[in-house]
Amino acid sequence: MSISSAPGKIILFGEHAVVYGRPALAIPVMQVQAKVEVTGSSRPGIRIAAPGVELDAELNTLPSDHPLAAVIHNLLFSLGISPFPALEIKITSTIPVASGLGSGAAVSVALIRALASFLGRPLTDEQVNAFAYEIEKLHHGTPSGIDNTVITYARPVYFIKDHMMETLPVGAPFTLVIGDTGLRAPTKESVGDVRRLWESDKHRWEQVFDAVGRIAESARRIIEAGRPQELGAYMDQNHALLQEMTVSSPELDHLVEAARKAGALGAKMSGGGRGGNMIALATPTTAEGIAASLRAAGAKNTIITTVG
Ligand code: PMV
């Protein structure tokens, strides 16, 4: 048997603008994980069971653009494995789907690693990341690649699409509270809506993306310098720019406000938006109180995580 797990993630700064070449920062969230178990089977074919999404199917009954089928096909073809072996694949995950925590990318990364290792062909992180990026394109259409990158490397990253990925040294640890609106919203739609805005007035939206990019650059320096308390104001500014892009929602804005009222140093939505999760900057002493306030304000779940 081969087992592999991959963490969730959140975007600290720069979502959406990252699709247009601006830098973004993301961190893994180890409290939630996708897990894949691959075992040999006495029955021919490849059977995939993902009880969390009510899937129990033979590989060849899934459409070829189904993300799980695509992971398996891409990988086995690339490794030159033919005919396909008889396998049982079990996928479980504690990462909520379509909520900005990278569930699709985490399943891809865990599945790629578990399959490759079961077949005796372990891959480098760079190879895993490249395979996972191909699958992200099926989920999103025009992904920046930040999700698969931060999840593959499971380290804080500073990322520019098609250009660079650096792991981010964290000068002093800081605490975040993640709050889930409980609303599921496909990233593909919010990314598509931002694209329509951009197409209607490229000059205006390039300036907005530039402003987001400057925030991500400043945030990187602040994190490296170990002055995380200064991040709060940048989170607030980044949230305002995401509101301008129309990707926040009343529920996200409500949780962001609740976090600020409960003493967060700053707060913003995170990821594709319209639903999913928001993040708030806390301290070790304020984190529990902020999480309780978020739940009182309607958050379906909260996670406290320390970066660095
Ligand atoms: O998967 P999510 O919800 O964290 O969103 C990804 C971040 C976007 O910038 C909105 C899209 C992308 O491909 O980078």
Side-chain angles (χ1 to χ4, degrees):
M1 188 199 286
S2 166
I3 302 182
S4 186
S5 298
K9 72 98 211 349
I10 49 166
I11 297 183
L12 289 183
F13 292 98
E15 52 273 270
H16 286 288
V18 68
V19 174
Y20 299 83
R22 274 42 166 213
L25 272 63
I27 59 157
V29 178
M30 307 309 274
Q31 286 91 337
V32 285
Q33 298 268 334
K35 182 173 155 198
V36 175
E37 296 175 27
V38 178
T39 45
S41 173
S42 50
R43 282 188 297 183
I46 297 183
R47 182 147 210 103
I48 308 161
V53 291
E54 284 166 22
L55 176 80
D56 188 357
E58 274 294 327
L59 175 67
N60 56 21
T61 64
L62 296 175
S64 59
D65 63 349
H66 186 289
L68 296 175
V71 171
I72 299 167
H73 278 126
N74 283 6
L75 191 68
L76 295 185
F77 280 127
S78 306
L79 296 177
I81 294 184
S82 174
F84 283 7
L87 299 174
E88 301 271 349
I89 298 176
K90 186 170 173 213
I91 301 171
T92 50
S93 175
T94 56
I95 310 174
V97 297
S99 63
L101 290 180
S103 96
V107 167
S108 295
V109 166
L111 178 54
I112 291 161
R113 286 207 177 111
L115 255 183
S117 118
F118 183 85
L119 298 166
R121 308 280 290 276
L123 303 172
T124 64
D125 286 344
E126 210 178 329
Q127 289 169 315
V128 170
N129 197 24
F131 277 115
Y133 184 48
E134 288 309 305
I135 306 308
E136 286 292 282
K137 291 181 188 165
L138 296 175
H139 283 292
H140 285 194
T142 55
S144 63
I146 191 168
D147 278 24
N148 46 284
T149 302
V150 64
I151 287 169
T152 298
Y153 291 91
R155 304 272 298 276
V157 298
Y158 177 83
F159 176 90
I160 302 177
K161 182 183 179 190
D162 297 331
H163 191 63
M164 69 178 285
M165 187 290 286
E166 282 176 4
T167 55
L168 184 70
V170 177
F174 56 98
T175 304
L176 295 173
V177 183
I178 304 171
D180 190 350
T181 61
L183 299 173
R184 304 292 166 244
T187 299
K188 201 171 183 167
E189 281 176 22
S190 60
V191 168
D193 289 348
V194 172
R195 182 159 299 273
R196 277 182 281 281
L197 288 177
W198 175 73
E199 274 162 0
S200 70
D201 187 348
K202 289 191 181 153
H203 179 69
R204 172 180 171 197
W205 292 103
E206 286 290 331
Q207 286 180 333
V208 172
F209 300 151
D210 279 343
V212 174
R214 283 193 296 272
I215 289 173
E217 278 167 24
S218 303
R220 173 200 190 165
R221 283 196 294 274
I222 288 171
I223 291 170
E224 288 181 352
R227 301 193 312 269
Q229 62 286 357
E230 293 173 24
L231 289 176
Y234 288 104
M235 289 168 77
D236 292 343
Q237 287 170 27
N238 196 163
H239 185 70
L241 292 165
L242 289 158
Q243 286 176 314
E244 203 176 326
M245 290 179 218
T246 76
V247 294
S248 192
S249 70
E251 295 81 3
L252 283 164
D253 291 345
H254 179 62
L255 292 186
V256 163
E257 269 313 307
R260 289 176 186 154
K261 280 201 190 110
L265 301 169
K268 65 182 276 292
M269 55 156 273
S270 178
R274 300 269 165 80
N277 282 270
M278 49 70 68
I279 54 175
L281 181 63
T283 64
T285 43
T286 61
E288 287 291 352
I290 293 169
S293 299
L294 286 174
R295 288 193 298 273
K300 297 294 175 287
N301 189 32
T302 53
I303 298 171
I304 297 174
T305 190
T306 301
V307 186

